[in-house]
Amino acid sequence: MKRSLMVAAAVAAFVVPAASPLAVMAQDQEASASTEAREQRRAARAEARAERRAETPPPAPRPERPARPDQPDRPQQPDAPRQERREERRDDRQERRAERRQDRPAPLIRPEVRQERREDRQERREDRRDDRQDRRQERREDRPNRPEQPQDRQERREERRDDRQERRQDRREDRQERREDRREYREFRQRFNSDSWRRDWTRRHGRDWWRHDRRWRGYNGVRIGFYFAPGYGYYNVPRTYWSQTWRVGDYLPSIFWRYRLNDWRTYGLGYPPEGTRWVLVDNHIYLIDEYDGYIIDVIYDAWSW
């Protein structure tokens, strides 16, 4: 089997190169035969075209056109100068204009028309003036009755003077009330000291006394942007109030007033005067005025986180 394959391969190696020139010669012969056939067809078409031309009869000559009849002579233009023709046309236009003016109807007498127009305008003005007066009167009648206002300057001055006196009296009363409140605040400070309270409370209960208290049950560490109030839980604090403290005499922002310390007796705090309350802000306790948030007393770091 192998020998037969080797013999076939050797024969093919000798036969294929020898057969390639024969194939090229065959292709050249086919190309030359096709070229000769094409030239023969062209020659046959040319002979057929020449035979058709020879058989076609020549075209008949065209008949000659008859000559045109002689045209009559045109009238010759007068040799008048151009300026005279212009003057004649101008005279004709003027005559036609005069005729049109005569055919027009006679116009009205202008002074009479002007007088009539003046009278019409005057009448329309008077009508509009009367209409405005009527509309004004109707609007006055439709307006609601206004309360009578004092027209005399002396009366208005007396009223303003009375108002000033009343406002001064109100300010005096407010200052008096604030003085009484401050007096009560001084009495409270005399009977309660925040520093001594924090020292005594820590010594008796320890610094971590709040860890086992039920009011701190929801506390699980410090949160950024939040405060924790015992009994209330975490609440959001605006960025402007983060880590900010206030002193006695300042005004506590109203967002902290709601976190009121109601069981102040449990903590041993002093009794808040009337109109005041204890509030929780972070781990500080503030005594504030319920009306305006004025800080009366402060206990800083009431418990340590």
Side-chain angles (χ1 to χ4, degrees):
M1 185 66 182
K2 291 181 180 180
R3 290 180 181 178
S4 59
L5 291 175
M6 291 174 67
V7 171
V11 172
F14 287 104
V15 172
V16 171
S20 58
L22 298 175
V24 172
M25 292 173 63
Q27 292 178 359
D28 294 339
Q29 291 177 359
E30 291 178 0
S32 60
S34 61
T35 304
E36 292 177 358
R38 193 180 302 112
E39 291 177 356
Q40 291 176 1
R41 285 195 298 272
R42 288 179 182 174
R45 284 197 296 269
E47 293 176 357
R49 194 179 300 113
E51 291 177 357
R52 284 196 300 272
R53 289 177 182 174
E55 295 175 356
T56 303
R62 294 182 180 180
E64 297 182 356
R65 293 182 181 180
R68 293 183 180 180
D70 296 337
Q71 296 180 358
D73 297 336
R74 295 181 180 178
Q76 297 180 358
Q77 296 292 338
D79 297 332
R82 189 177 297 177
Q83 185 67 24
E84 293 179 359
R85 290 196 298 274
R86 290 179 180 174
E87 291 179 357
E88 290 177 0
R89 287 196 296 271
R90 189 181 300 110
D91 295 338
D92 293 341
R93 284 197 297 271
Q94 291 179 358
E95 290 177 0
R96 288 194 296 273
R97 288 176 183 173
E99 291 176 358
R100 285 197 296 272
R101 289 194 188 96
Q102 292 176 2
D103 295 340
R104 291 177 184 174
L108 297 176
I109 302 174
R110 290 185 178 279
E112 295 179 357
V113 174
R114 292 178 180 176
Q115 185 64 24
E116 291 178 357
R117 291 177 180 174
R118 289 195 190 97
E119 293 177 358
D120 292 340
R121 285 197 295 270
Q122 187 67 23
E123 290 178 358
R124 288 195 294 272
R125 289 174 183 173
E126 293 177 358
D127 293 340
R128 287 196 296 270
R129 190 178 297 110
D130 296 338
D131 293 340
R132 285 197 295 270
Q133 292 293 338
D134 295 339
R135 287 195 295 271
R136 288 176 183 174
Q137 185 64 26
E138 291 176 357
R139 286 197 295 270
R140 290 193 189 98
E141 293 176 358
D142 295 339
R143 291 176 183 171
N145 295 328
R146 297 183 178 179
E148 297 181 358
Q149 299 179 356
Q151 301 296 330
D152 191 6
R153 292 184 178 180
Q154 188 64 27
E155 293 181 359
R156 291 197 295 271
R157 288 176 182 174
E158 292 178 358
E159 290 180 357
R160 288 196 293 270
R161 189 180 299 109
D162 295 339
D163 293 338
R164 286 196 295 270
Q165 292 292 340
E166 291 178 358
R167 288 195 294 270
R168 289 175 183 172
Q169 184 64 26
D170 293 339
R171 286 196 294 270
R172 291 193 190 97
E173 293 177 357
D174 292 340
R175 284 197 296 270
Q176 186 66 25
E177 291 178 358
R178 286 198 294 272
R179 287 174 183 172
E180 294 177 356
D181 294 340
R182 299 298 185 268
R183 188 178 299 109
E184 293 180 359
Y185 300 160
R186 287 196 297 271
E187 294 177 356
F188 174 80
R189 293 194 192 95
Q190 291 176 0
R191 61 185 174 85
F192 179 79
N193 189 336
S194 58
D195 295 335
S196 62
W197 176 89
R198 184 174 58 253
R199 184 176 58 254
D200 296 342
W201 182 266
T202 304
R203 186 174 61 250
R204 288 197 301 268
H205 299 82
R207 300 185 63 86
D208 297 339
W209 59 271
W210 55 272
R211 293 187 181 276
H212 304 288
D213 196 316
R214 58 181 178 83
R215 288 179 290 263
W216 273 266
R217 184 175 301 170
Y219 179 74
N220 55 8
V222 178
R223 294 183 183 178
I224 298 175
F226 291 87
Y227 283 169
F228 181 84
Y232 296 94
Y234 288 96
Y235 61 91
N236 190 12
V237 179
R239 185 183 295 272
T240 55
Y241 300 139
W242 288 0
S243 303
Q244 185 175 354
T245 57
W246 292 268
R247 297 177 297 179
V248 176
D250 295 339
Y251 291 88
L252 188 70
S254 59
I255 62 172
F256 300 110
W257 297 2
R258 70 186 70 179
Y259 304 107
R260 185 171 184 172
L261 182 62
N262 295 318
D263 53 348
W264 52 270
R265 294 185 181 86
T266 305
Y267 294 92
L269 300 173
Y271 175 76
E274 186 177 358
T276 63
R277 67 174 68 173
W278 290 102
V279 295
L280 299 164
V281 181
D282 199 11
N283 61 339
H284 313 307
I285 304 176
Y286 292 87
L287 180 65
I288 64 170
D289 192 332
E290 293 181 347
Y291 179 74
D292 54 2
Y294 177 81
I295 298 176
I296 304 167
D297 201 351
V298 185
I299 301 176
Y300 297 109
D301 299 330
W303 50 85
S304 300
W305 300 118

